[in-house]
Amino acid sequence: MAPLIPLSNISNEINLLIAFIIGIGFGFVLEQAGFSSSRKLAGMFYGYDITVLKVFFTAAITAMLGLFLFNYMGIIDMSIVYVNEYYIYSAIVGGVIMGAGFIIGGFCPGTSVCAAAIGKIDAMWFIGGSIIGVFIFGETFSLWENLYKATPLGPVKVSETLGLSSGIFGLIVIVMAVVMFWIGERAEKKFARQDISKEL
Amino acid sequence: MSFRVIVSIVFISLGLIFAILPNKNNKSNQPDVKELLLSVCDKSFIINSDELAKVLISKDPSYQLVDLRTEKEYSDFHLSNAINIPFDSLLNDNFIYQLDNPALKYVFYSNGTIVSAQAIILIRQLGFKNNLVLKGGLNEWFETIINPVKPNITSSGTEYNLYLSRIAAKEFFTGSKKNNNIESPIQAEYNKNASKKKKQSVQGGCS
């Protein structure tokens, strides 16, 4: 729970227990939003169902606003929060692979576990496939090592690169989210598919 | 208004509020002022000339001397292996990185104690630890190690031993053996009186 609760204040086991409870909450949210249905997930790609965009973007801007608030109240120090390092080339290649897998299988790794938990057989095959992929990647890592570590840029934030303050960049993201939701709803009407049922 | 319009308005207004608020820098890795006061009051950050002489003679590699005077004063004289960081450019980027090694103990010195004490408070505020101040600076260094004062006849054995160790340090640093008065005060008194004891011819008695 660091840096919200420093690691020295609670024991490792309580940390893991809190992580477990948060994980249960995440699974609950995914399931009640309907993400265990591969029809809803593939709908994002084909345009007839934009639930994925709405749920994840709303979660992102809620978390962003919460972090601003905590930083302002002094509960969290945003300057020591870890930002992942950015490897451009490898991120693009990884994104392409992930997108291809998503549209072929109809799940992404998190939602596949969620769907397998309610008994969907195709989600279980999806998990098996991802485990085989991880194994193959691990065994052939020396072939991919240069690609994996190409073009590191370090932990960059978009607001720093553009020279904006984080508050203004947050506002831009929120406005962008609202605009994208509006465009998405127009697209939903345009690409509607009556033959694909809306039930989960 | 529909639900989604209300939610969008709420998010955008929250975003506007946070865009207008000034940036807040929570420097959570800087020491608290109270902690700083405590660490200064316990005087553990002071090293005096005798201890520093021991460190330099034993060539202890875990100490690094930092000279805070100007470049001209540094080039006239500096203690061996000291790096020069003039006090007014202490916080410049190219100097501050030299203080970054957590394995070394940095000993700040200047002509007196004031400048080095000020430097150590500034450095500790930035979060650096392992800093020491040479008590009395170079002035006291010269008075104790290079020109040690001989203790008078009523002083204790420990003070005399300290004087002897300072003489030895002086020989190490300056290589000179002249004017080294290493007789103990008691010995000096005895020699003074002993020279008075000349053989006197026996006077009186039966002649």
Side-chain angles (χ1 to χ4, degrees):
Chain A
M1 284 291 284
L4 197 54
I5 305 176
L7 288 174
S8 51
N9 288 355
I10 55 176
S11 71
N12 210 17
E13 289 77 20
I14 298 283
N15 222 357
L16 292 175
L17 183 64
I18 294 178
F20 180 63
I21 295 176
I22 293 179
I24 292 180
F26 180 59
F28 175 78
V29 166
L30 283 188
E31 171 63 28
Q32 63 84 35
F35 286 170
S36 48
S37 146
S38 53
R39 288 184 219 104
K40 259 197 181 328
L41 296 170
M44 187 63 219
F45 184 75
Y46 294 114
Y48 59 83
D49 192 336
I50 62 158
T51 311
V52 176
L53 173 73
K54 285 186 184 169
V55 169
F56 279 107
F57 219 143
T58 312
I61 56 183
T62 309
M64 180 176 72
L65 288 173
L67 278 178
F68 275 145
L69 189 64
F70 278 5
N71 189 37
Y72 205 72
M73 296 202 298
I75 298 178
I76 264 191
D77 182 2
M78 277 307 286
S79 59
I80 58 172
V81 169
Y82 177 66
V83 176
N84 275 344
E85 282 139 23
Y86 188 37
Y87 298 81
I88 299 184
Y89 198 44
S90 358
I92 293 177
V93 171
V96 167
I97 295 176
M98 158 101 179
F102 194 146
I103 198 57
I104 295 174
F107 289 110
C108 62
T111 50
S112 70
V113 177
C114 186
I118 65 168
K120 300 210 169 180
I121 308 283
D122 56 346
M124 294 182 196
W125 279 106
F126 191 94
I127 294 178
S130 56
I131 291 177
I132 292 176
V134 167
F135 182 73
I136 293 179
F137 179 77
E139 290 299 315
T140 59
F141 182 64
S142 48
L143 297 175
W144 312 111
E145 195 164 355
N146 289 337
L147 178 64
Y148 192 75
K149 296 186 181 165
T151 61
L153 284 186
V156 290
K157 291 189 186 175
V158 181
S159 55
E160 281 171 13
T161 320
L162 293 177
L164 301 169
S165 77
S166 42
I168 300 212
F169 185 66
L171 178 65
I172 292 178
V173 167
I174 292 176
V175 169
M176 215 167 71
V178 172
V179 167
M180 278 167 63
F181 293 172
W182 185 74
I183 295 178
E185 293 204 343
R186 304 273 297 259
E188 250 185 357
K189 292 195 182 73
K190 182 163 180 213
F191 295 111
R193 303 255 207 116
Q194 268 70 28
D195 53 328
I196 298 184
S197 69
K198 287 270 185 183
E199 66 179 56
L200 300 176
Chain B
M1 282 192 284
S2 70
F3 174 72
R4 50 194 68 186
V5 175
I6 295 177
V7 168
S8 316
I9 291 180
V10 165
F11 271 125
I12 292 185
S13 31
L14 281 174
L16 266 175
I17 292 176
F18 284 113
I20 299 175
L21 282 177
N23 258 340
K24 185 140 191 281
N25 287 329
N26 292 330
K27 298 248 169 64
S28 57
N29 51 0
Q30 268 190 345
D32 203 16
V33 177
K34 289 201 183 97
E35 272 178 40
L36 201 53
L37 182 61
L38 277 175
S39 73
V40 165
C41 283
D42 70 9
K43 303 214 184 315
S44 60
F45 68 102
I46 296 183
I47 182 173
N48 62 24
S49 309
D50 298 309
E51 290 165 4
L52 185 63
K54 275 202 205 92
V55 161
L56 290 178
I57 292 176
S58 62
K59 292 203 196 318
D60 191 338
S62 66
Y63 285 83
Q64 170 66 57
L65 290 169
V66 176
D67 190 328
L68 291 168
R69 303 170 301 154
T70 61
E71 281 181 22
K72 179 168 183 317
E73 288 172 315
Y74 175 79
S75 51
D76 285 341
F77 170 77
H78 60 266
L79 295 176
S80 56
N81 294 331
I83 56 177
N84 180 226
I85 302 183
F87 181 62
D88 50 8
S89 36
L90 184 61
L91 298 178
N92 281 358
D93 282 334
N94 47 347
F95 285 126
I96 212 76
Y97 83 89
Q98 293 183 6
L99 299 174
D100 220 352
N101 191 341
L104 293 179
K105 298 197 251 289
Y106 292 96
V107 179
F108 290 94
Y109 73 86
S110 58
N111 283 330
T113 327
I114 296 181
V115 169
S116 32
Q118 288 172 338
I120 204 173
I121 300 276
L122 291 175
I123 291 295
R124 287 216 166 178
Q125 276 236 309
L126 290 176
F128 292 111
K129 301 187 172 39
N130 308 329
N131 309 112
L132 300 164
V133 160
L134 176 62
K135 179 157 168 277
L138 282 182
N139 294 342
E140 192 169 312
W141 174 263
F142 272 94
E143 284 166 10
T144 51
I145 303 288
I146 307 293
N147 299 320
V149 173
K150 187 166 174 176
N152 60 26
I153 191 167
T154 54
S155 30
S156 63
T158 17
E159 284 189 32
Y160 184 64
N161 287 336
L162 184 62
Y163 173 69
L164 280 184
S165 60
R166 286 177 180 173
I167 292 282
K170 172 188 169 184
E171 286 179 14
F172 177 84
F173 287 116
T174 60
S176 73
K177 286 192 191 254
K178 68 172 187 172
N179 291 342
N180 279 351
N181 196 354
I182 58 171
E183 280 180 331
S184 88
I186 307 281
Q187 182 76 29
E189 272 300 309
Y190 179 77
N191 288 346
K192 193 165 73 172
N193 291 338
S195 61
K196 287 189 192 155
K197 275 198 179 162
K198 286 184 282 243
K199 282 265 184 208
Q200 290 175 341
S201 49
V202 176
Q203 296 187 352
C206 8
S207 53

